[in-house]
Amino acid sequence: MREMIDVAIIGSGPAGLSAAIALRKRGLRQVVVLERDSEAGGVPRHCAHPPYGLREFGRIMTGPSYAQRLADDARAIGVQIRLLHSVTQLLPDGVLEIATPNGRQRLQAKRVLIATGVRETPRSARLLSGDRPLGVLNTGALQAYIALQGLIPFRRPVILGSELVSLSAIATCRSHGIRPAAVIETNARPTARFPLTLLPRLLGIPVFLGCAVTAIHGTDRVEAVTLQSTDGGTTRDIACDGVLLTGRFLPEASLIRASHLTLDPATQGPAIDQFGRCSDPRYFAAGNILRAVETAGWSFREGQRIAHCLAADLEGRLPSASASLEIRAGDNLKLVLPQRLTSPSKALGKQTLELRVAQGVTGRLRLRHGDVTLYERPLTALPERRILIPIGALDLANLTGTIVAEILT
Amino acid sequence: MNSHLHSADRQDVAVIGAGVVGCAIARRFALTGARVIVIEKAADILAGASKGNSAILHTGFDAPSGSLEWQCMQAGYAEFLDIRERLGLPLLRSTAILAAWTEDEMSKLDQIAAKAWKNGVTDVRPLSPAEVLAREPHLSRTLLGGLLVPGEFLIDPWSTPLAYLHQAIANGATVLRETEVLSGRFDGQAWTLETNRGAVLAETVINAAGLWGDVVDDRLQVGRTFDIRPRKGQFVVFDKAAARLLSAIILPVPTERTKGIVLTPTIFGNLLVGPTAEEQADRIHATVEQATLEQLIAKAQAILPALADMPVTATYAGLRPATAHSEYQIRHDAAHNLIVAGGIRSTGLTGALGIAQHVAKLYNERHPHKRPESNAIWPTVALPVLAEHEARDWTRPGYGEIVCHCELVTKREIEAALTGPLPAGDSSGLKRRTRAGMGRCQGFYCHARIASLTQGRFTTPLAIGSVDA
């Protein structure tokens, strides 16, 4: 026996819950959110600091209260949130395999929205050298230690990375008596924006730019790290009892890798069109599963926007997925999203192309179809920063094939 | 755990070291009715050489013909297949393909096949490139040919010795962890082993101390007959999505110097590449090195080009207790009631049960069995089902919650691993028993939850304090 519902949403973070609320507001009956954790809310649950919610709820909230508010709103409007439900497989025809503490289930949905979010790159995938002692964690794990379990994993870690999340990690440490020994960034400049990057120095934490950790030392626990400047110059050891690996987010796309859906090697998330539609048009995706990494607010709005596309699709009002243009990231670009454009419908779907670079670059951003330039402007770009192109600015009429996005230097 | 020993009782046999070899020896002696005590200095078993290997049950097709290593592999292989179902141990009949990528390698295949026949492994047969690719369509098309070794299988490298030791315990053995042998004295009748937790008395001592085998010989003042020269092997584990790219173990054609890099599925549903072979003096630290890991990844991608887009799940390194000799260093010092099983370099997982048989034979030359083996007790403690091709715990109702989402490890499994006759002694031991935290996120989601579930359990805890404190 298989349950049949209107929409199944995988993940109860900001994108999943905002989509669920929007779908209920559109009058869809059975909107089911499948959450593998024991509480709804996603990553904001363990980000015990502001600012969340300003645009969504008109006030500044901490992560946990924002997550709570989203889950409350969803339940109040009739969204079914099923906790401890782990989707184990995505199958054609909107069929999901699910593990629950009461046994395995199969569920079929007219549409599925994948909103499984992101995680940080762990030590292993960074190929970090050295011993493998206890105390090497990602920010997400540190926050879960403190916010969810009330536990402290180390007292004096070094922090790797200088993305926005690194500053969140510093804030978390400082408010719980953890004194970071250093902030270490491989690039010559911090990734997060000025003046936030002043924070570590204001707190008296040494900052090492243009340096990489070349070895972790420790038998049971971390005892020290070796730093080397990326020009191959000086090395030094820093005593510490932990290594906090921040950022380098990746879409949590393991379900997609194991499924029939097309994965974009550039974003490492599902390939979508501007309506959030995956290669199997019964599947949609929204939020940070699409690209690493955006804010909770962005994910919230993206969830809402894609929910409207999904609802329009169920009403038969979405253009066919078959006639679409492919967009590819060319020179000096790391990724472009969406990966496909389907004969644009201006009112619906994502309104911008999102692009990102892997390294800082200055040049001319160009979109071209064959030899025809569709869009061009000067650009100075840094990693992990938004680059947007309004889709409405592009004349895509009668185009087929592939558009290449590139930065000419 | 650090309580002082009160064991004035004399044991028949003290096994020093709870690696795979020590666990198998303890089992063999306990089965024959001997009073056995196992002494391990680490917080958990399998903390040395046995924690990192390629998890293959080898046929011994390429072992030195007629060697003790070959004999032990043959016997160990057969006994494993005989007992593994009763111990609840998984087996994946993957087969192996010895793949040749150069003319030089091709020219060695006949010789390797001849050696396999000589070694009693008579089902090997050559494969044309088309036959190899029919079996393994994702392999690089640059392959020139191969040799099929049907009997090479995948096993669980950690549940296997754990089950051996469970059976030893079920048959009366005692296991001491966090107990280090500091010195030993033989009085002509029996040994007194001084440890950090007091004295252990035993008639016979078996040194299965792996990476510390020579040091233990020194401490027993019996004169070491070999020096351990640790040989590091680094490994890279790819994401589970990569497992569908390969079903057989891909062995390289060995050179004079090394057995080479293996690309293999694991019983846990990953894909593994390694090991390197790097000599070092340090017996404790097995570091991973970025440049080496990158070389391993490049090597794996050359063999299996579709790995290019596959993320890395884990990296690790193990140390082999190598010596100047390629052969196992097993000796019976009858004058001292001592048996040393050392230098078990890289075939210990396969050879362990055979080594145990051999050691028992040496012992029985002077000691009769105390009871027939047919009275063996089989352990009733159920091992967790960790093999990806079997029904894991999360498929059965009542598991409570999934703690590790990447490896789908349940709270029920974690609780089981923290109880029973041999509960996990540290976080690595918990990983080996459950796989919690061994998946692609490496604890991003579950580290904190595991810290909470294991509070008060480990000498070296995951959390060092609490928020309120």
Side-chain angles (χ1 to χ4, degrees), chain B residues 6-11 35 200-202:
Chain B
H6 298 285
S7 53
D9 299 355
R10 196 167 91 178
Q11 307 286 327
R35 284 163 50 89
V200 174
L201 307 183

Side-chain angles (χ1 to χ4, degrees), chain B residues 77-421:
Chain B
Y77 182 97
E79 188 177 356
F80 178 84
L81 292 183
D82 181 43
I83 66 173
R84 65 111 187 159
E85 281 177 12
R86 278 175 287 174
L87 290 176
L89 290 171
L91 175 78
L92 193 57
R93 296 176 188 274
S94 56
T95 77
I97 297 170
L98 190 93
W101 306 92
T102 65
E103 289 298 343
D104 185 44
E105 289 174 356
M106 275 305 285
S107 69
K108 291 181 180 160
L109 291 186
D110 283 349
Q111 193 185 322
I112 294 168
K115 184 173 192 183
W117 273 75
K118 193 173 174 193
N119 283 358
V121 184
T122 54
D123 55 356
V124 299
R125 63 180 176 87
L127 296 176
S128 69
E131 286 173 310
V132 175
L133 291 169
R135 287 167 170 269
E136 300 294 347
H138 297 284
L139 284 188
S140 166
R141 308 258 143 188
T142 60
L143 177 109
L144 298 181
L147 195 66
L148 181 71
V149 192
E152 300 266 307
F153 301 142
L154 302 175
I155 62 176
D156 176 339
W158 304 305
S159 296
T160 296
L162 178 64
Y164 299 163
L165 201 50
H166 271 164
Q167 190 171 23
I169 293 168
N171 287 278
T174 308
V175 180
L176 304 175
R177 290 178 286 180
E178 297 186 320
T179 306
E180 181 174 355
V181 173
L182 304 171
S183 66
R185 194 176 65 251
F186 182 66
D187 65 7
Q189 299 295 317
W191 282 91
T192 303
L193 299 175
E194 293 298 338
T195 78
N196 55 319
R197 292 174 57 196
V200 174
L201 307 183
E203 191 184 280
T204 298
V205 167
I206 297 170
N207 172 1
L211 288 160
W212 302 88
D214 52 355
V215 172
V216 166
D217 272 356
D218 291 347
R219 290 182 183 182
L220 300 180
Q221 300 175 57
V222 291
R224 63 165 79 180
T225 54
F226 56 84
D227 298 313
I228 293 295
R229 299 173 178 180
R231 192 176 300 160
K232 183 167 77 174
Q234 300 186 51
F235 293 87
V236 173
V237 181
F238 289 93
D239 192 88
K240 289 200 161 170
R244 65 169 179 262
L245 301 174
L246 191 68
S247 59
I249 303 159
I250 304 301
L251 301 170
V253 174
T255 66
E256 290 301 313
R257 205 177 61 78
T258 164
K259 287 186 85 164
I261 308 287
V262 177
L263 180 66
T264 175
T266 73
I267 203 149
F268 311 116
N270 293 105
L271 207 65
L272 179 70
V273 64
T276 56
E278 306 164 59
E279 308 258 341
Q280 65 176 46
D282 192 315
R283 302 165 191 245
I284 299 172
H285 297 96
T287 59
V288 291
E289 316 293 342
Q290 182 172 353
T292 311
L293 300 173
E294 282 167 353
Q295 285 166 15
L296 283 174
I297 292 167
K299 176 92 186 165
Q301 288 171 348
I303 296 172
L304 205 60
L307 279 176
D309 291 328
M310 285 297 168
V312 166
T313 286
T315 63
Y316 65 95
L319 295 177
R320 309 171 184 88
T323 65
H325 318 276
S326 64
E327 176 66 293
Y328 291 171
Q329 296 300 299
I330 299 181
R331 76 167 194 273
H332 186 188
D333 180 348
H336 290 98
N337 288 4
L338 173 76
I339 300 173
V340 181
I344 317 294
R345 201 181 53 212
S346 57
T347 49
L349 182 62
T350 300
L353 293 170
I355 293 165
Q357 288 178 25
H358 179 73
V359 168
K361 204 176 86 200
L362 295 175
Y363 177 84
N364 291 335
E365 285 164 6
R366 290 168 51 113
H367 302 79
H369 275 206
K370 297 202 172 184
R371 73 167 186 210
E373 281 182 53
S374 53
N375 289 350
I377 298 166
W378 292 86
T380 52
V381 185
L383 289 173
V385 178
L386 303 180
E388 195 75 355
H389 65 288
E390 295 187 350
R392 299 269 316 274
D393 192 56
W394 62 268
T395 63
R396 297 186 299 116
Y399 59 66
E401 67 184 272
I402 289 175
V403 173
C404 166
H405 296 294
C406 301
E407 294 294 310
L408 294 167
V409 181
T410 68
K411 188 172 170 218
R412 181 167 60 190
E413 285 175 301
I414 288 175
E415 284 169 348
L418 294 172
T419 54

Side-chain angles (χ1 to χ4, degrees), chain A residues 12 34-43 45-46 81-86 148-149, chain B residues 401-403 405 445 449:
Chain A
S12 72
L34 301 163
E35 170 55 55
R36 65 189 190 178
D37 225 321
S38 59
E39 278 180 59
V43 165
R45 279 179 58 220
H46 51 71
I81 303 178
R82 297 184 186 170
L83 301 173
L84 299 174
H85 277 51
S86 303
L148 304 183
Q149 310 293 343
Chain B
E401 67 184 272
I402 289 175
V403 173
H405 296 294
Y445 295 111
R449 183 75 181 122

Side-chain angles (χ1 to χ4, degrees), chain A residues 27 43 50 83 135 138 163 183 272 287 325 327 362 379 397 409:
Chain A
V43 165
L83 301 173
N138 287 114
E163 296 177 35
V183 171
I272 56 160
L325 268 166
I327 311 172
T362 296
L379 177 78
T409 53

